[in-house]
Amino acid sequence: MTQRAVTILGSTGSVGRSTLDLIERAPDRYRVEALTANSRVDALIRQARRFKPRFAAIGDARHRRALEDGLSGTGIAVGAGPSAVREAAQRSADWVMAAIVGAAGLAPTLEAVRRGAVVALANKECLVCAGALFMAQVAAAKATLLPVDSEHNAIFQVFDAERRDGIERIILTASGGPFRTAERAAMADVTPAQAMAHPNWSMGAKISVDSATMMNKGLEVIEAHHLFVLDEGRIDVVVHPQSVVHSLVAYRDGSVLAQLGTPDMRTPIAYCLGWPERIATPSERLNLAKVASLTFEAPDHERFPALALAREALRRGRGAPTLLNAANEVAVAAFLEGRIGFMGIVDVVADVLATVPDPQPATLEDVDTLDAAARRAAASLVDQRSRNSSVA
Ligand code: NAD
Ligand code: MG
């Protein structure tokens, strides 16, 4: 069997580690070309010693020396700084997992796209901040994009792309997060630890907070719009607390097709890793009798305004989704640092959308400019809010 060369961008994160877990179980099928991390240099060293990639890159250049020391004598080439992360993506792996969190993942992921690689896309922020430009590069390079996000992976599995005419709409499921049944008044005081305690999925900090505000579902509506080329009005969201039905496609004859499974990211990752074959995973098998009941409810827009805000940004188009994403990254980081309250996250994003101009980005440089303007505006709103709350 010929080995498939794989690269993992963001190998120390939640999705990155799940990907390596699968690779470790099928050592004959895969060889690791490159691994990258941002600041967790010790974890990267451990992974590199175990998986023996040809190249290991650390995004934060302050850790260059530690990485060199940690891998000396192994023969593994080492790089540091954002250009080294891009270099990792440029190296000739057949398959690249894009699992860096946030807009920081855009440039490296595009390097893999431009080579025409098979790109397993976990990084939804890429599509939110630069969707049209990103998809144009995918088409130009004839890259293969496989969605890792569980909802989009589910849709990809049941979406009859050859007979698009038959598709009426898609339905994204949302768990509702840890505050699905919380009172609005109580939500103002929740701590980062409470926001990160997702009921069904174990994930990185940023996406966990996004799930708690339901901004994650808003980002996913935008992600779905680009991946499946559907208007915002044809992308529904339904809250499904058990996270068993991962998403659905509704056809014009009334049929609705869904993909189901236990909530374990190794299933959608394995779909992408094995594609077009199916590979085995150790994921817990779905036992419907044990699950017993699957429930669905409409999202509550009053307690979770982020979803409507993201939909509005998508309808507005131009640079609005870029602003939404950047402001959200800043606001979530501020919440995690204890600088603003939980409900302040969406307020900051709404303020940025209301005040920062949103011209259509024609180039990736335009995306960077918009992203930077939104980050500056969001940072100053965070400063104001944290000053006001420390006075009060
Ligand atoms: P995480 O925080 O656990 O890991 C993020 C990874 O990105 C780490 O390896 C980190 O070193 C790297 N990174 C962070 N900032 C970087 C930078 N500036 N430059 C280079 N590398 C950087 O995140 P995660 O939960 O694994 O999520 C990764 C992506 O996948 C996110 O876009 C998320 O929305 C998406 N996603 C995650 C899940 C999940 O179950 N965790 C599910 C669906 C989608
Ligand atoms: Mg998801």
mmCIF file with all atom_site columns, all heavy atoms in Angstrom, residues 119-132:
data_model
loop_
_atom_site.group_PDB
_atom_site.id
_atom_site.type_symbol
_atom_site.label_atom_id
_atom_site.label_alt_id
_atom_site.label_comp_id
_atom_site.label_asym_id
_atom_site.label_entity_id
_atom_site.label_seq_id
_atom_site.pdbx_PDB_ins_code
_atom_site.Cartn_x
_atom_site.Cartn_y
_atom_site.Cartn_z
_atom_site.occupancy
_atom_site.B_iso_or_equiv
_atom_site.pdbx_formal_charge
_atom_site.auth_seq_id
_atom_site.auth_comp_id
_atom_site.auth_asym_id
_atom_site.auth_atom_id
_atom_site.pdbx_PDB_model_num
ATOM 1  N N   . VAL A 1 119 ? -7.548  19.236 0.944  1.00 0.00 ? 119 VAL A N   1
ATOM 2  C CA  . VAL A 1 119 ? -7.530  20.012 2.181  1.00 0.00 ? 119 VAL A CA  1
ATOM 3  C C   . VAL A 1 119 ? -8.752  19.662 3.020  1.00 0.00 ? 119 VAL A C   1
ATOM 4  O O   . VAL A 1 119 ? -9.892  19.861 2.592  1.00 0.00 ? 119 VAL A O   1
ATOM 5  C CB  . VAL A 1 119 ? -7.500  21.526 1.895  1.00 0.00 ? 119 VAL A CB  1
ATOM 6  C CG1 . VAL A 1 119 ? -7.563  22.320 3.194  1.00 0.00 ? 119 VAL A CG1 1
ATOM 7  C CG2 . VAL A 1 119 ? -6.235  21.891 1.111  1.00 0.00 ? 119 VAL A CG2 1
ATOM 8  N N   . ALA A 1 120 ? -8.493  19.109 4.190  1.00 0.00 ? 120 ALA A N   1
ATOM 9  C CA  . ALA A 1 120 ? -9.561  18.841 5.157  1.00 0.00 ? 120 ALA A CA  1
ATOM 10 C C   . ALA A 1 120 ? -9.706  20.116 5.975  1.00 0.00 ? 120 ALA A C   1
ATOM 11 O O   . ALA A 1 120 ? -8.781  20.517 6.688  1.00 0.00 ? 120 ALA A O   1
ATOM 12 C CB  . ALA A 1 120 ? -9.170  17.659 6.047  1.00 0.00 ? 120 ALA A CB  1
ATOM 13 N N   . LEU A 1 121 ? -10.841 20.781 5.838  1.00 0.00 ? 121 LEU A N   1
ATOM 14 C CA  . LEU A 1 121 ? -10.995 22.113 6.415  1.00 0.00 ? 121 LEU A CA  1
ATOM 15 C C   . LEU A 1 121 ? -11.764 22.069 7.731  1.00 0.00 ? 121 LEU A C   1
ATOM 16 O O   . LEU A 1 121 ? -12.980 21.865 7.746  1.00 0.00 ? 121 LEU A O   1
ATOM 17 C CB  . LEU A 1 121 ? -11.708 23.040 5.427  1.00 0.00 ? 121 LEU A CB  1
ATOM 18 C CG  . LEU A 1 121 ? -11.774 24.509 5.852  1.00 0.00 ? 121 LEU A CG  1
ATOM 19 C CD1 . LEU A 1 121 ? -10.393 25.154 5.759  1.00 0.00 ? 121 LEU A CD1 1
ATOM 20 C CD2 . LEU A 1 121 ? -12.770 25.284 5.006  1.00 0.00 ? 121 LEU A CD2 1
ATOM 21 N N   . ALA A 1 122 ? -11.030 22.264 8.833  1.00 0.00 ? 122 ALA A N   1
ATOM 22 C CA  . ALA A 1 122 ? -11.696 22.441 10.132 1.00 0.00 ? 122 ALA A CA  1
ATOM 23 C C   . ALA A 1 122 ? -11.871 23.930 10.404 1.00 0.00 ? 122 ALA A C   1
ATOM 24 O O   . ALA A 1 122 ? -12.840 24.356 11.010 1.00 0.00 ? 122 ALA A O   1
ATOM 25 C CB  . ALA A 1 122 ? -10.869 21.791 11.242 1.00 0.00 ? 122 ALA A CB  1
ATOM 26 N N   . ASN A 1 123 ? -10.896 24.720 9.934  1.00 0.00 ? 123 ASN A N   1
ATOM 27 C CA  . ASN A 1 123 ? -10.862 26.159 10.205 1.00 0.00 ? 123 ASN A CA  1
ATOM 28 C C   . ASN A 1 123 ? -11.965 26.922 9.482  1.00 0.00 ? 123 ASN A C   1
ATOM 29 O O   . ASN A 1 123 ? -11.793 27.372 8.350  1.00 0.00 ? 123 ASN A O   1
ATOM 30 C CB  . ASN A 1 123 ? -9.473  26.701 9.800  1.00 0.00 ? 123 ASN A CB  1
ATOM 31 C CG  . ASN A 1 123 ? -9.361  28.189 10.045 1.00 0.00 ? 123 ASN A CG  1
ATOM 32 O OD1 . ASN A 1 123 ? -10.001 28.980 9.365  1.00 0.00 ? 123 ASN A OD1 1
ATOM 33 N ND2 . ASN A 1 123 ? -8.577  28.568 11.001 1.00 0.00 ? 123 ASN A ND2 1
ATOM 34 N N   . LYS A 1 124 ? -13.120 27.045 10.157 1.00 0.00 ? 124 LYS A N   1
ATOM 35 C CA  . LYS A 1 124 ? -14.271 27.709 9.523  1.00 0.00 ? 124 LYS A CA  1
ATOM 36 C C   . LYS A 1 124 ? -14.039 29.198 9.355  1.00 0.00 ? 124 LYS A C   1
ATOM 37 O O   . LYS A 1 124 ? -14.613 29.825 8.467  1.00 0.00 ? 124 LYS A O   1
ATOM 38 C CB  . LYS A 1 124 ? -15.538 27.432 10.318 1.00 0.00 ? 124 LYS A CB  1
ATOM 39 C CG  . LYS A 1 124 ? -15.577 28.030 11.706 1.00 0.00 ? 124 LYS A CG  1
ATOM 40 C CD  . LYS A 1 124 ? -16.713 27.456 12.532 1.00 0.00 ? 124 LYS A CD  1
ATOM 41 C CE  . LYS A 1 124 ? -16.335 26.131 13.157 1.00 0.00 ? 124 LYS A CE  1
ATOM 42 N NZ  . LYS A 1 124 ? -17.396 25.459 13.877 1.00 0.00 ? 124 LYS A NZ  1
ATOM 43 N N   . GLU A 1 125 ? -13.180 29.794 10.224 1.00 0.00 ? 125 GLU A N   1
ATOM 44 C CA  . GLU A 1 125 ? -12.965 31.239 10.155 1.00 0.00 ? 125 GLU A CA  1
ATOM 45 C C   . GLU A 1 125 ? -12.398 31.660 8.792  1.00 0.00 ? 125 GLU A C   1
ATOM 46 O O   . GLU A 1 125 ? -12.651 32.768 8.326  1.00 0.00 ? 125 GLU A O   1
ATOM 47 C CB  . GLU A 1 125 ? -12.027 31.695 11.285 1.00 0.00 ? 125 GLU A CB  1
ATOM 48 C CG  . GLU A 1 125 ? -12.633 31.545 12.698 1.00 0.00 ? 125 GLU A CG  1
ATOM 49 C CD  . GLU A 1 125 ? -12.325 30.204 13.354 1.00 0.00 ? 125 GLU A CD  1
ATOM 50 O OE1 . GLU A 1 125 ? -11.845 29.268 12.658 1.00 0.00 ? 125 GLU A OE1 1
ATOM 51 O OE2 . GLU A 1 125 ? -12.561 30.081 14.570 1.00 0.00 ? 125 GLU A OE2 1
ATOM 52 N N   . CYS A 1 126 ? -11.627 30.760 8.138  1.00 0.00 ? 126 CYS A N   1
ATOM 53 C CA  . CYS A 1 126 ? -11.121 31.024 6.770  1.00 0.00 ? 126 CYS A CA  1
ATOM 54 C C   . CYS A 1 126 ? -12.255 31.401 5.837  1.00 0.00 ? 126 CYS A C   1
ATOM 55 O O   . CYS A 1 126 ? -12.139 32.331 5.046  1.00 0.00 ? 126 CYS A O   1
ATOM 56 C CB  . CYS A 1 126 ? -10.558 29.743 6.152  1.00 0.00 ? 126 CYS A CB  1
ATOM 57 S SG  . CYS A 1 126 ? -8.946  29.290 6.645  1.00 0.00 ? 126 CYS A SG  1
ATOM 58 N N   . LEU A 1 127 ? -13.332 30.617 5.898  1.00 0.00 ? 127 LEU A N   1
ATOM 59 C CA  . LEU A 1 127 ? -14.452 30.834 4.983  1.00 0.00 ? 127 LEU A CA  1
ATOM 60 C C   . LEU A 1 127 ? -15.295 32.016 5.406  1.00 0.00 ? 127 LEU A C   1
ATOM 61 O O   . LEU A 1 127 ? -15.916 32.665 4.576  1.00 0.00 ? 127 LEU A O   1
ATOM 62 C CB  . LEU A 1 127 ? -15.323 29.584 4.885  1.00 0.00 ? 127 LEU A CB  1
ATOM 63 C CG  . LEU A 1 127 ? -14.709 28.436 4.093  1.00 0.00 ? 127 LEU A CG  1
ATOM 64 C CD1 . LEU A 1 127 ? -15.633 27.229 4.100  1.00 0.00 ? 127 LEU A CD1 1
ATOM 65 C CD2 . LEU A 1 127 ? -14.438 28.860 2.653  1.00 0.00 ? 127 LEU A CD2 1
ATOM 66 N N   . VAL A 1 128 ? -15.321 32.308 6.704  1.00 0.00 ? 128 VAL A N   1
ATOM 67 C CA  . VAL A 1 128 ? -16.114 33.451 7.152  1.00 0.00 ? 128 VAL A CA  1
ATOM 68 C C   . VAL A 1 128 ? -15.407 34.738 6.751  1.00 0.00 ? 128 VAL A C   1
ATOM 69 O O   . VAL A 1 128 ? -16.028 35.674 6.260  1.00 0.00 ? 128 VAL A O   1
ATOM 70 C CB  . VAL A 1 128 ? -16.362 33.390 8.672  1.00 0.00 ? 128 VAL A CB  1
ATOM 71 C CG1 . VAL A 1 128 ? -17.132 34.626 9.140  1.00 0.00 ? 128 VAL A CG1 1
ATOM 72 C CG2 . VAL A 1 128 ? -17.124 32.120 9.028  1.00 0.00 ? 128 VAL A CG2 1
ATOM 73 N N   . CYS A 1 129 ? -14.091 34.788 6.918  1.00 0.00 ? 129 CYS A N   1
ATOM 74 C CA  . CYS A 1 129 ? -13.412 36.066 6.665  1.00 0.00 ? 129 CYS A CA  1
ATOM 75 C C   . CYS A 1 129 ? -13.064 36.266 5.198  1.00 0.00 ? 129 CYS A C   1
ATOM 76 O O   . CYS A 1 129 ? -12.911 37.409 4.778  1.00 0.00 ? 129 CYS A O   1
ATOM 77 C CB  . CYS A 1 129 ? -12.202 36.250 7.578  1.00 0.00 ? 129 CYS A CB  1
ATOM 78 S SG  . CYS A 1 129 ? -10.761 35.332 7.139  1.00 0.00 ? 129 CYS A SG  1
ATOM 79 N N   . ALA A 1 130 ? -12.972 35.213 4.421  1.00 0.00 ? 130 ALA A N   1
ATOM 80 C CA  . ALA A 1 130 ? -12.539 35.389 3.021  1.00 0.00 ? 130 ALA A CA  1
ATOM 81 C C   . ALA A 1 130 ? -13.214 34.391 2.096  1.00 0.00 ? 130 ALA A C   1
ATOM 82 O O   . ALA A 1 130 ? -12.614 33.932 1.124  1.00 0.00 ? 130 ALA A O   1
ATOM 83 C CB  . ALA A 1 130 ? -11.013 35.233 2.943  1.00 0.00 ? 130 ALA A CB  1
ATOM 84 N N   . GLY A 1 131 ? -14.468 34.065 2.362  1.00 0.00 ? 131 GLY A N   1
ATOM 85 C CA  . GLY A 1 131 ? -15.146 32.961 1.677  1.00 0.00 ? 131 GLY A CA  1
ATOM 86 C C   . GLY A 1 131 ? -15.040 32.978 0.161  1.00 0.00 ? 131 GLY A C   1
ATOM 87 O O   . GLY A 1 131 ? -14.593 31.993 -0.435 1.00 0.00 ? 131 GLY A O   1
ATOM 88 N N   . ALA A 1 132 ? -15.449 34.078 -0.473 1.00 0.00 ? 132 ALA A N   1
ATOM 89 C CA  . ALA A 1 132 ? -15.487 34.097 -1.943 1.00 0.00 ? 132 ALA A CA  1
ATOM 90 C C   . ALA A 1 132 ? -14.084 33.970 -2.521 1.00 0.00 ? 132 ALA A C   1
ATOM 91 O O   . ALA A 1 132 ? -13.858 33.215 -3.479 1.00 0.00 ? 132 ALA A O   1
ATOM 92 C CB  . ALA A 1 132 ? -16.166 35.371 -2.435 1.00 0.00 ? 132 ALA A CB  1
#
